[in-house]
């Protein structure tokens, strides 16, 4: 299915802390936390993205916030139109990235039909699954 709807995408910098050989490691990973469709053209999506960059509260801070709390916020607009926002509340800090994107393709998941006989079910359960033979190659 092809579409041309604009979205505002919000990514959060999630962090986990692990210990390895007596060293504390803070592991960061960007996670898509929200995608909001925008009814309108690209200009409308850019305005919604700006609002999100200036008001969105990431879950990392929201979990510890009390009503009325507002974190310190530094919002940077990059040349490509993406917002990078640094937030700080008490001793906690995090980052979010807000961008606009046009959804150009979507496809629903398809599943192979289930085995029909008991013999096929047992074989399916015991056999190792092999990847599909169809590999992507660039069109020439």
């Amino acid at each position: 299915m092809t579409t041309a709807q604009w979205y505002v995408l919000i990514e959060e910098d999630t962090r986990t802390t692990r210990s390895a050989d007596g060293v504390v490691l803070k592991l960061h990973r960007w996670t898509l936390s929200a995608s909001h469709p925008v009814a309108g053209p690209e200009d409308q999506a850019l305005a919604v993205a700006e609002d999100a960059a200036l008001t969105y509260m990431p879950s990392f801070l929201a979990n510890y916030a009390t009503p009325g709390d507002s974190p310190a916020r530094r919002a940077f607009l990059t040349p490509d139109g993406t917002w990078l926002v640094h937030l700080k509340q008490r001793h906690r800090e995090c980052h979010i990235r807000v961008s606009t994107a046009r959804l150009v393709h979507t496809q629903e998941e398809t599943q192979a039909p289930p085995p029909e006989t008991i013999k096929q079910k047992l074989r399916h359960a015991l056999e190792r699954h092999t990847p599909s033979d169809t590999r992507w190659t660039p069109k020439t």
Side-chain angles (χ1 to χ4, degrees):
M1 179 179 164
T2 304
T3 182
Q5 183 171 7
W6 284 95
Y7 278 76
V8 170
L9 307 176
I10 301 174
E11 299 169 273
E12 293 185 24
D13 178 21
T14 59
R15 185 179 77 198
T16 56
T17 304
R18 301 270 191 252
S19 295
D21 297 327
V23 178
V24 175
L25 302 171
K26 294 180 179 178
L27 307 172
H28 292 265
R29 184 181 79 175
W30 287 103
T31 304
L32 182 64
S33 58
S35 63
H36 299 282
V38 176
E42 181 180 10
D43 293 341
Q44 180 68 26
L46 292 170
V48 173
E50 180 178 0
D51 181 58
L54 301 178
T55 59
Y56 180 80
M57 174 74 92
S59 58
F60 177 72
L61 294 181
N63 290 337
Y64 299 101
T66 56
D69 281 353
S70 179
R73 182 181 307 257
R74 291 178 19 175
F76 300 92
L77 180 59
T78 64
D80 68 350
T82 300
W83 290 86
L84 183 60
V85 184
H86 176 255
L87 296 116
K88 184 174 182 179
Q89 189 168 24
R90 296 183 187 90
H91 61 278
R92 294 178 178 86
E93 295 182 40
C94 66
H95 303 83
I96 62 170
R97 186 165 42 203
V98 181
S99 57
T100 58
R102 191 169 50 96
L103 179 63
V104 295
H105 178 78
T106 181
Q107 179 177 331
E108 296 296 323
E109 175 185 10
T110 58
Q111 294 183 356
E116 295 175 1
T117 66
I118 292 179
K119 184 177 178 180
Q120 288 175 330
K121 288 179 184 180
L122 286 172
R123 183 178 293 135
H124 181 72
L126 297 174
E127 287 180 352
R128 190 169 219 207
H129 296 284
T130 57
S132 164
D133 288 338
T134 51
R135 291 193 172 93
W136 179 86
T137 56
K139 296 177 182 176
T140 55

